Amino acid sequence: MKTICLYFEIHQITHLKRYRFFDIGTDHYYYDDYENERSVTEIAERSYMPALQTLLDMIKASNKYFKVAFSISGVGMEQLEMHAPQVIELLQQLGETGCVEFLAEPYSHGLASLVNPESFAAEVKRQCQKIKEYFGQEPKVLRNSSLIYSDEIGFQASEMGFKGMLTEGAKHILGWKSPHYIYNCAMAPNLKLLLRDVTLSDDISLRFNNSEWEGYPLFADDYIGRIAKFPDQEQVIGIFMELSALGIAQPLSSGILQFIKALPVCAKTKGITFSTPTEIFMKGKSVGPINVPDTLSWTDEERDVSSWLGNPMQREAFNKLYSVADRVRIANDPRINQDWDYLQASNNFQFMTTKPTRIMVDRGIYSSPFDAFTNYMNILGDFLRRVNDLYPEEIDNDELNSLLTTIRNQGEEIERKTKEINRLQTKIEKIEAESDKLRDKIEKKQAKPKAKPKAKPKAKPKAKPKA
């Protein structure tokens, strides 16, 4: 029986403000609060809220026949917490239906998996903790930023305990193979892979409202009919996209939500079900490995990482940022960590792209890729200075790690001794209180007047004998 895995990404960039060279060393706040609030509010109203409400209605109307999966970046959740908490509340309602799975992904929606495995693992762990806190689920499936994947990344995901990953069904990787099967990582056979059907996904997320597209207009029954015609052996259909496709990339006026809402009804008539990634991995077996020696993603025609690292400016910014990755992780300073999360977001590097692309890049405040690079590098210059002010460059990473480990151990030892002192102090106070009670008792007893002894009766005089 064929099954559809419908998955949506939710990520919200933290917009950087205009930052001049002369701000370096004097201004340590890098963000455009007005633009962050405006953009989050807008996308929540135009996309997230109506789309999520539609998905919730679909689950209820189908008697839980319909199922869906989400991944949410940690920085995206922070923006929603501040400016659109109603979106999180609606996601929680979806989670309570039992028909929604929340996946793991890097907290920052960054590119650490390409260069620093330790930072990547730490980020994923933090995002999993946030998912557990908000939705009560412990993610079992990993979805990397923009579906970035390679054999090495898959191996690390397996080492981290994940049962499966989502990635792109790129033709240059699959060759003659179909994306409609479960595969496994070439370096870790126990890690299963679920692939995105590029055509079916982009028909909805990119082409739905394009009147010049040969498939326009797209109707739900025709769309499901195409899936039903796939060979019987091809039973897993991965349809992955950003949630903002429903309302932003494809405006609500296009009828996109009506199309989505009709999918379960049409699928049921064809005997096609909906499943979450974990359900698919639990029920299905891998048909074999996929070899991905070079990194792939779901971005642009090349399906690689050139959107973020394709020119010298991007690589310069990337290398400068991650040159302090180990120091930031070792130091674990709260304010530095927050800026580190926001500066890692992959969008910052995409703004610098010089690639011609059929998908327009919204650069926001930037007039050109060079403008984006200059602004980012000014901010990065201040950030690197702050990191080095905390922990000078003269101290290498091993020495810094040893020093901070010693400090942490000493702190833990002091904490243990403080607890022991507090425990003994409490015990002493208890003993003293008992001693005071006993002393009072003794003193009261001693102060009580003694009863006078009874006088002995006088002896009667003996009678004189009669003469």
Side-chain angles (χ1 to χ4, degrees):
M1 180 181 291
K2 290 183 175 61
T3 191
I4 295 172
C5 179
L6 185 61
Y7 153 81
F8 294 102
E9 171 201 87
I10 300 177
H11 166 60
Q12 194 66 31
I13 186 175
T14 302
H15 294 275
L16 303 177
K17 69 180 181 181
R18 181 63 69 179
Y19 194 92
R20 310 292 180 183
F21 175 79
F22 297 104
D23 294 327
I24 298 173
T26 61
D27 183 1
H28 304 319
Y29 191 77
Y30 311 136
Y31 313 109
D32 187 337
D33 292 334
Y34 172 80
E35 180 58 23
N36 285 321
E37 182 176 3
R38 186 205 64 79
S39 61
V40 174
T41 302
E42 180 183 20
I43 199 170
E45 292 177 354
R46 291 176 54 193
S47 173
Y48 292 169
M49 289 301 291
L52 292 173
Q53 186 60 58
T54 297
L55 296 172
L56 181 59
D57 293 343
M58 290 164 66
I59 292 173
K60 293 177 179 178
S62 67
N63 195 24
K64 300 189 176 184
Y65 185 82
F66 175 70
K67 297 179 181 180
V68 65
F70 297 96
S71 74
I72 314 170
S73 68
V75 295
M77 288 189 69
E78 289 182 12
Q79 290 295 312
L80 292 173
E81 287 167 357
M82 286 188 286
H83 306 304
Q86 68 273 21
V87 174
I88 294 180
E89 291 172 6
L90 196 46
L91 283 165
Q92 289 173 328
Q93 291 180 42
L94 279 157
E96 290 168 0
T97 65
C99 297
V100 173
E101 180 177 3
F102 293 96
L103 310 183
E105 76 158 60
Y107 193 95
S108 70
H109 196 79
L111 306 173
S113 61
L114 302 178
V115 67
N116 196 295
E118 292 81 6
S119 293
F120 175 62
E123 280 202 60
V124 171
K125 183 178 180 181
R126 286 173 55 219
Q127 190 261 0
C128 287
Q129 291 170 344
K130 205 167 184 72
I131 293 295
K132 177 71 182 295
E133 176 187 350
Y134 276 88
F135 308 111
Q137 294 188 19
E138 295 183 9
K140 300 178 179 64
V141 176
L142 175 64
R143 179 264 183 195
N144 199 3
S145 309
S146 301
L147 295 188
I148 290 173
Y149 176 81
S150 69
D151 291 336
E152 290 185 357
I153 293 172
F155 178 78
Q156 184 180 358
S158 174
E159 293 289 296
M160 291 163 63
F162 290 104
K163 304 303 180 186
M165 280 190 73
L166 307 189
T167 190
E168 181 76 341
K171 285 192 176 296
H172 71 278
I173 294 296
L174 286 172
W176 57 269
K177 297 177 181 177
S178 166
H180 304 147
Y181 294 93
I182 300 171
Y183 295 94
N184 63 264
C185 173
M187 293 177 62
N190 61 325
L191 184 85
K192 295 179 179 179
L193 301 176
L194 183 58
L195 307 185
R196 175 177 181 261
D197 185 303
V198 177
T199 302
L200 288 174
S201 300
D202 288 353
D203 282 353
I204 298 176
S205 62
L206 300 182
R207 294 183 280 269
F208 183 82
N209 195 43
N210 182 2
S211 59
E212 297 180 359
W213 171 45
E214 61 181 12
Y216 181 87
L218 182 62
F219 295 105
D221 55 350
D222 293 336
Y223 187 83
I224 293 296
R226 286 162 55 190
I227 295 174
K229 290 178 182 177
F230 290 143
D232 292 341
Q233 299 86 351
E234 299 184 14
Q235 295 189 356
V236 180
I237 316 299
I239 301 173
F240 310 158
M241 68 194 78
E242 296 177 4
L243 185 62
S244 60
L246 311 183
I248 303 296
Q250 308 304 321
L252 298 180
S253 59
S254 68
I256 185 66
L257 293 185
Q258 289 76 10
F259 170 83
I260 293 292
K261 201 167 186 176
L263 289 178
V265 179
C266 297
K268 198 167 186 178
T269 63
K270 297 289 187 180
I272 299 172
T273 64
F274 287 82
S275 300
T276 62
T278 294
E279 288 177 337
I280 290 172
F281 290 143
M282 288 179 64
K283 294 176 183 177
K285 294 182 179 180
S286 168
V287 296
I290 290 184
N291 294 294
V292 189
D294 298 318
T295 311
L296 63 86
S297 76
W298 71 358
T299 304
D300 290 344
E301 293 293 335
E302 296 84 357
R303 311 292 174 187
D304 58 14
V305 296
S306 57
S307 289
W308 309 286
L309 301 175
N311 65 46
M313 292 186 297
Q314 292 171 309
R315 291 190 291 274
E316 171 71 10
F318 176 84
N319 291 333
K320 281 280 188 184
L321 176 66
Y322 283 101
S323 68
V324 294
D326 290 327
R327 301 175 77 77
V328 170
R329 189 184 69 259
I330 292 167
N332 198 28
D333 179 84
R335 180 64 191 276
I336 292 291
N337 286 346
Q338 184 179 56
D339 292 334
W340 173 250
D341 288 335
Y342 298 157
L343 293 177
Q344 279 192 90
S346 62
N347 313 66
N348 292 314
F349 300 97
Q350 194 167 24
F351 293 150
M352 306 174 200
T353 186
T354 52
K355 286 179 60 179
T357 175
R358 58 193 175 90
I359 304 173
M360 186 182 72
V361 177
D362 181 4
R363 289 191 170 89
I365 64 172
Y366 307 124
S367 59
S368 68
F370 181 75
D371 186 27
F373 170 73
T374 302
N375 199 69
Y376 185 82
M377 292 303 286
N378 286 340
I379 291 173
L380 188 56
D382 185 77
F383 177 76
L384 296 179
R385 177 181 290 191
R386 287 166 55 209
V387 173
N388 291 327
D389 283 346
L390 280 175
Y391 304 103
E393 290 181 285
E394 294 76 25
I395 305 175
D396 62 33
N397 288 339
D398 289 339
E399 186 179 356
L400 177 61
N401 192 20
S402 175
L403 176 63
L404 291 177
T405 300
T406 300
I407 293 172
R408 277 193 281 268
N409 289 341
Q410 288 175 344
E412 291 172 0
E413 183 65 22
I414 291 171
E415 186 178 355
R416 281 195 298 270
K417 290 183 185 268
T418 301
K419 287 181 180 178
E420 181 64 16
I421 290 170
N422 290 337
R423 187 184 70 81
L424 292 173
Q425 185 67 36
T426 302
K427 192 172 181 180
I428 290 169
E429 290 173 358
K430 188 176 179 181
I431 292 171
E432 287 178 346
E434 292 294 330
S435 177
D436 290 342
K437 286 181 182 179
L438 184 60
R439 188 178 298 110
D440 290 344
K441 191 175 180 180
I442 293 170
E443 288 176 353
K444 286 179 182 178
K445 191 173 182 180
Q446 290 175 344
K448 190 175 181 181
K450 293 181 180 180
K452 292 181 179 180
K454 291 181 180 181
K456 294 182 180 180
K458 292 181 179 180
K460 291 181 180 181
K462 292 181 179 179
K464 293 181 180 180
K466 291 180 180 181

